[in-house]
């Protein structure tokens, strides 16, 4: 695949994705970008969970977890660590009818990623998986489905697996008693900002839209995401994909806007290859 043909494909593909200028916080790309800001991420988590979080140690958008050969990998929307807990925050705009099994697989993959060889099970850290849905996944009209494993014979028995699942149904925001959470879910559902945290997020979204090179980053992210989904469907496609990835990386490097790590993530190249390309410029 020549570079000329690649850009023809890019131009056609741009017509199939949401325009960068129209992105809001609930779109996957912008959600991941905004939640990289530790203070915003902390405030959002505190609002969703109704508890204080002293400090966010680590936040990463679109963290990939690749299992053993031939197994299905995952990409977590926002992966967050504090002193004691791992959080996975997923924004869901479409109802695919698989939240239950999706969360089950995400939990297993996160645990496998956390568990080093030779470690004991008791070393596993607490995990909270959060799905923020712009639809009602279980059709019960409940604003927040709080889900943990339990013993049906004794509902008060705590099995102490330290794994929680919270599924927010933003369509039911009016039923939420807590004012801050109600406003946050309303913001996700309607894009109406009425609180300090939601107005802060709105400003961050607009700031990101004005950043030089961010629209190209968005396009690269979408192209890479599409490549991941379509991987293996066309014979002989790998060589053309790598050529296109490297050319996109060179263009992003020339803009001098994004870090090497961000470029590697956007185009799907190893960080070593991005550094090699940077040295050639």
């Amino acid at each position: 695949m020549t570079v000329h043909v690649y850009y023809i494909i890019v131009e056609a593909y741009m017509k199939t994705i949401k325009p960068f200028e129209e992105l809001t916080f609930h779109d996957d790309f912008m959600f991941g970008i905004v939640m990289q800001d530790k203070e915003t991420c902390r405030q959002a988590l505190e609002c969703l969970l109704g508890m204080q979080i002293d400090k966010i140690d680590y936040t990463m958008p679109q963290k990939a977890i690749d299992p053993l050969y031939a197994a299905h990998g995952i990409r977590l929307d926002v992966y967050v660590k504090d002193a004691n807990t791992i959080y996975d925050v997923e924004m869901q705009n479409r109802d695919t009818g698989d939240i239950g099994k999706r969360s089950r697989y995400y939990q297993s993959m996160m645990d496998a990623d956390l568990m080093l060889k030779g470690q004991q099970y008791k070393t596993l850290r607490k995990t909270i998986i959060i799905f923020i849905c712009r639809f009602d996944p279980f059709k019960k009209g409940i604003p927040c489905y709080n889900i943990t494993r339990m013993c049906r014979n004794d509902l008060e028995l705590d099995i102490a697996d330290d794994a929680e699942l919270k599924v927010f149904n933003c369509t039911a925001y009016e039923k939420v008693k807590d004012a801050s959470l109600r406003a946050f879910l309303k913001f996700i559902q309607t894009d109406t900002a009425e609180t300090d945290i939601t107005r802060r997020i709105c400003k961050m979204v607009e700031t990101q839209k004005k950043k030089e090179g961010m629209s190209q980053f968005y396009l690269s992210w979408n192209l890479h995401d599409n490549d991941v989904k379509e991987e293996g469907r066309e014979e002989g496609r790998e060589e053309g994909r790598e050529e296109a990835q490297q050319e996109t990386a060179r263009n992003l490097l020339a803009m001098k806007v994004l870090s090497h790590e961000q470029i590697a993530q956007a185009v799907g190249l190893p960080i070593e290859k991005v550094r090699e390309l940077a040295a050639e410029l």
Side-chain angles (χ1 to χ4, degrees), residues 63-69 71-75 105 109 112-113 228:
K63 174 180 170 61
I65 299 180
D66 297 315
L68 297 175
Y69 175 73
H72 181 67
I74 60 173
R75 286 174 62 181
Y105 191 65
M109 294 294 290
D113 189 53
V228 170

Side-chain angles (χ1 to χ4, degrees), residues 41-187:
C41 184
R42 183 186 66 80
Q43 291 184 29
L45 284 175
E46 287 186 342
C47 183
L48 289 167
L49 300 176
M51 66 181 195
Q52 185 175 353
I53 299 174
D54 292 331
K55 179 184 178 184
I56 295 294
D57 295 324
Y58 173 85
T59 177
M60 179 179 182
Q62 294 292 324
K63 174 180 170 61
I65 299 180
D66 297 315
L68 297 175
Y69 175 73
H72 181 67
I74 60 173
R75 286 174 62 181
L76 307 178
D77 282 356
V78 177
Y79 185 83
V80 182
K81 292 181 183 179
D82 67 14
N84 305 303
T85 308
I86 305 293
Y87 306 88
D88 167 35
V89 191
E90 301 288 325
M91 182 66 71
Q92 299 290 302
N93 291 293
R94 294 185 303 109
D95 188 359
T96 55
D98 61 359
I99 291 289
K101 290 187 176 180
R102 180 189 292 263
S103 64
R104 169 185 163 187
Y105 191 65
Y106 280 22
Q107 183 66 63
S108 68
M109 294 294 290
M110 289 171 64
D111 287 343
D113 189 53
L114 290 169
M115 194 78 171
L116 298 175
K117 186 176 181 180
Q119 282 187 324
Q120 296 181 337
Y121 293 114
K122 64 182 180 181
T123 64
L124 278 174
R125 296 173 68 176
K126 180 176 181 178
T127 60
I128 301 178
I129 297 178
I130 301 170
F131 282 90
I132 306 174
C133 302
R134 301 182 70 241
F135 52 89
D136 186 350
F138 303 121
K139 309 298 185 291
K140 294 294 184 180
I142 299 172
C144 179
Y145 298 92
N146 294 291
I147 303 167
T148 56
R149 291 206 301 171
M150 62 178 61
C151 175
R152 290 187 177 183
N153 306 96
D154 184 349
L155 299 183
E156 294 184 359
L157 175 64
D158 182 5
I159 68 169
D161 65 348
D162 273 343
E164 295 182 27
L165 170 64
K166 292 183 177 293
V167 182
F168 288 92
N169 164 25
C170 295
T171 67
Y173 67 84
E174 292 180 341
K175 296 181 181 180
V176 178
K177 294 181 180 180
D178 180 79
S180 59
L181 177 58
R182 181 171 62 250
F184 191 80
L185 298 185
K186 180 180 179 180
F187 171 61

Side-chain angles (χ1 to χ4, degrees), residues 17-34 93 187 191 201-210 214-219 221-222:
I17 63 175
K18 188 173 183 178
F20 177 73
E21 297 76 15
E22 297 178 11
L23 293 183
T24 62
F25 179 60
H26 62 71
D27 291 298
D28 283 350
F29 175 81
M30 194 60 72
F31 179 66
I33 292 294
V34 171
N93 291 293
F187 171 61
D191 294 320
I201 289 173
C202 278
K203 288 181 180 179
M204 293 182 71
V205 169
E206 294 308 310
T207 298
Q208 293 299 327
K209 288 181 180 179
K210 295 175 183 177
M214 192 56 68
S215 61
Q216 290 90 338
F217 185 23
Y218 170 62
L219 176 59
W221 178 86
N222 269 286

